[in-house]
Amino acid sequence: CVVRRFYLNRAEDVSGISGLGRVCEGVEWDNGKVSLCWFGTYHVLESADNIHTIEHIHGHQGRTVVEWIDDEV
């Protein structure tokens, strides 16, 4: 199983909830599915079908970006 790790790095907190900088860490599984673990008070776990869904939901028009830890396989 090959996974690729990443952070979501937030430049502007539109909701006022998650803060700035690295707001969660995640993995992209070898089947393209994504798992997230949010930092902060509640440490919520989340999953999605792919990284594009995460970018669409949490990207806030470029205010939050995926910061890859691992190189593309």
Side-chain angles (χ1 to χ4, degrees):
C1 181
V2 176
V3 298
R4 189 173 176 206
R5 301 171 301 153
F6 64 89
Y7 294 107
L8 287 186
N9 196 331
R10 183 156 287 164
E12 182 182 344
D13 185 4
V14 176
S15 67
I17 295 172
S18 50
L20 301 175
R22 292 177 176 170
V23 294
C24 79
E25 60 187 337
V27 294
E28 180 185 51
W29 302 99
D30 60 355
N31 65 0
K33 303 283 187 193
V34 176
S35 299
L36 299 176
C37 181
W38 290 88
F39 303 147
T41 304
Y42 300 105
H43 301 284
V44 173
L45 297 174
E46 181 178 355
S47 62
D49 284 336
N50 55 58
I51 195 67
H52 303 294
T53 300
I54 294 299
E55 290 173 318
H56 179 75
I57 293 170
H58 298 296
H60 301 289
Q61 299 171 332
R63 294 179 184 99
T64 302
V65 296
V66 174
E67 179 184 314
W68 292 102
I69 299 168
D70 300 309
D71 294 330
E72 191 169 0
V73 182

